[in-house]
Amino acid sequence: MKAGADLTIDRLLAELRALAAISEAEPPVVTRVVFAEADLRARAYVKGLCADAGLSVREDAIGNTFARWLGSEPELAPVGTGSHIDAIPNAGSYDGTVGVLGALEAIRVLQKLGFKPRRSIELVIFTAEEPTRFGIGCLGSRMMAGVLSAEQAQALLDKEGRGLDEWRGIAGFAGSLQSVRLGAGYFHQFIELHIEQGPLLESEGIDLGLVTHIAAPASLRIRIEGEGGHAGAKLMPGRRDALAAAAELILALESAAKSSGAIDTVGTVGVCQVFPGAVNSIPSRVRLETDIRDIDEMRRDGVIKALRKACEEISARRGVEVAAQQVNADPPAACDAAILAALEASAKAAGRSYKRMVSRAYHDSLFVARLAPTAMLFIPCRGGVSHRPDEYATPEWMGSGVNVLARTLATLAA
Ligand code: HGY
Ligand code: MN
Ligand code: MN
């Protein structure tokens, strides 16, 4: 596919830059939390681009957005592709957006080449892939796959105690939460283009990653209740300092992840809220959010068990209450062999190097894989950096991704 490759990348780069500028933070920092004002502007921007490309756009009850290029046999289940445009605080410009705008670019290239899909090709923008607001990742794709029920979704609250119904109402999305659920067979097949968010491809000088498995993520919320008091007057013996207990817990998670016996096990405490949060007041309450992953579910669950054991031990020794609540603990997903074979054939035809690999980040594909044969295509990102403003993918890397995605979509939709 030679024609227009450079042109498409310029257009794609311009659109990625425009989307990155729609942020709650000053560029180059991207923050775009689901249903916040910047997210709504970003959704409008991308929907406009999809409409300009002649796709028919619909949104479900929580804002999952479906932009369909109608095939000659519209009654057939579509080939799906897509990703997310929400971004965590202090993020970069490429996580998720490459899989949305890159897929749109792939569709426009196929249109330009006069390709006529037999099966429709449907671009999806998933709502709330990031856990920032409601504490759980992949909210939209989880509900589509029925992994999170309408009742469970109804019960989700953000840090201000505001729920999904309130936020989706503000965003202008209506309809029953049950209607988000898609039946198996809604998609014929699904491919997600995404940056690797790791260093392998760049360090090995390989153009593309064919993802065979998506890691198994888990998240637990931990509340620690101790006893507050005057930092000067309350002597050390008998203190029940909630933050000192939290510090031991954080180190216990780190050591459990490091001693799992495999490099694939990771454990992170990304959120630590301290109450009352005054320098001269002993912390009486701490709230931790922990993220535990592995490509092997058993090993990951072993770390969860070790963390729960540490909670009990630290609680008894320090006289603090520790309550660990599991938010999610999902099995890994295996990607579809036939789609991987199609991606491999496309990469060869495009003269691009590739390697099969696992995804250590989770993605909406983790849940779409419950609905349809699914696979992911990775492009490198500089230094493996992601979830930071200096996240970067070169035009060449993106060109390879769009090129091979377009070829594969054409193969699957023919
Ligand atoms: O955390 C993740 O793996 C994804 O980037 N949300
Ligand atoms: Mn992310
Ligand atoms: Mn992502």
Side-chain angles (χ1 to χ4, degrees):
M1 178 181 312
K2 286 278 171 271
D6 51 338
L7 169 73
T8 53
I9 291 309
D10 287 350
R11 177 173 52 183
L12 173 56
L13 291 180
E15 290 167 353
L16 280 167
R17 266 195 304 275
L19 181 52
I22 304 176
S23 165
E24 295 163 47
E26 279 306 302
V29 178
V30 180
T31 299
R32 208 165 36 236
V33 181
V34 68
F35 299 140
E37 187 271 337
D39 176 40
L40 305 187
R41 271 191 296 129
R43 288 166 178 271
Y45 173 65
V46 176
K47 280 193 301 181
L49 295 179
C50 292
D52 294 348
L55 309 184
S56 61
V57 181
R58 72 177 179 86
E59 293 158 317
D60 72 10
I62 61 167
N64 289 307
T65 304
F66 303 81
R68 183 170 290 205
W69 179 13
L70 219 52
S72 58
E73 296 180 36
E75 71 288 352
L76 295 176
V79 174
T81 184
S83 191
H84 62 98
I85 61 170
D86 62 318
I88 67 169
N90 198 48
S93 310
Y94 301 86
D95 174 6
T97 56
V98 161
V100 172
L101 294 178
L104 176 60
E105 193 49 50
I107 288 171
R108 290 184 301 206
V109 168
L110 290 174
Q111 289 174 336
K112 185 156 179 262
L113 293 172
F115 174 74
K116 296 273 179 264
R118 186 167 68 89
R119 286 182 182 279
S120 302
I121 294 176
E122 186 155 79
L123 170 57
V124 185
I125 305 163
F126 296 96
T127 280
E129 190 272 350
E130 298 293 4
T132 314
R133 183 175 296 287
F134 295 111
I136 187 166
C138 301
L139 174 64
S141 48
R142 225 180 255 274
M143 288 183 70
M144 282 180 191
V147 172
L148 190 77
S149 70
E151 297 66 38
Q152 289 166 321
Q154 199 99 40
L156 293 174
L157 296 174
D158 70 3
K159 291 187 179 66
E160 282 80 49
R162 300 171 68 182
L164 177 58
D165 273 343
E166 181 186 344
W167 277 110
R168 73 187 181 107
I170 291 169
F173 300 122
S176 75
L177 291 179
Q178 282 78 2
S179 64
V180 175
R181 176 85 196 266
L182 296 178
Y186 175 86
F187 291 115
H188 174 60
Q189 290 165 308
F190 187 88
I191 304 180
E192 180 171 4
L193 173 66
H194 205 284
I195 54 171
E196 178 195 342
Q197 296 178 302
L200 278 185
L201 292 174
E202 183 192 35
S203 63
E204 296 178 18
I206 295 176
D207 298 325
L208 295 165
L210 276 48
V211 177
T212 58
H213 294 83
I214 304 168
S219 172
L220 288 87
R221 273 206 193 103
I222 300 179
R223 277 174 67 86
I224 302 157
E225 298 276 349
E227 183 185 44
H230 193 291
K234 172 81 181 158
L235 299 178
M236 295 312 279
R239 276 193 181 194
R240 295 190 297 118
D241 181 329
L243 186 52
E248 280 202 60
L249 260 179
I250 293 167
L251 292 175
L253 173 56
E254 183 186 55
S255 111
K258 282 181 165 176
S259 54
S260 78
I263 191 67
D264 302 300
T265 318
V266 287
T268 315
V269 177
V271 175
C272 175
Q273 287 172 331
V274 183
F275 180 83
V279 66
N280 56 350
S281 172
I282 302 168
S284 56
R285 188 170 68 243
V286 171
R287 188 171 165 276
L288 300 179
E289 290 188 25
T290 71
D291 179 309
I292 303 167
R293 311 186 196 193
D294 195 313
I295 55 173
D296 175 293
E297 191 175 1
M298 293 276 284
R299 253 194 332 250
R300 189 223 35 217
D301 290 348
V303 173
I304 295 176
K305 211 157 137 245
L307 179 63
R308 287 185 178 280
K309 198 157 157 288
C311 288
E312 285 162 19
E313 192 275 321
I314 292 164
S315 164
R317 183 162 41 82
R318 286 178 165 271
V320 295
E321 267 172 58
V322 181
Q325 176 218 354
Q326 186 164 294
V327 177
N328 65 290
D330 305 296
C335 291
D336 177 72
I339 303 175
L340 287 168
L343 283 166
E344 191 164 348
S346 299
K348 280 184 185 145
R352 298 304 200 276
S353 57
Y354 59 88
K355 74 177 281 182
R356 288 170 181 251
M357 60 192 290
V358 301
S359 170
R360 299 187 185 286
Y362 60 71
H363 303 280
D364 291 303
S365 292
L366 180 66
F367 297 97
V368 179
R370 313 275 190 105
L371 286 172
T374 297
M376 292 190 74
L377 177 63
F378 275 174
I379 63 169
C381 57
R382 189 178 54 196
V385 164
S386 181
H387 282 189
R388 277 178 16 192
D390 52 339
E391 181 183 83
Y392 180 69
T394 68
E396 293 69 32
W397 291 340
M398 281 191 279
S400 297
V402 169
N403 185 328
V404 168
L405 177 65
R407 290 169 186 268
T408 311
L409 289 175
T411 305
L412 301 185

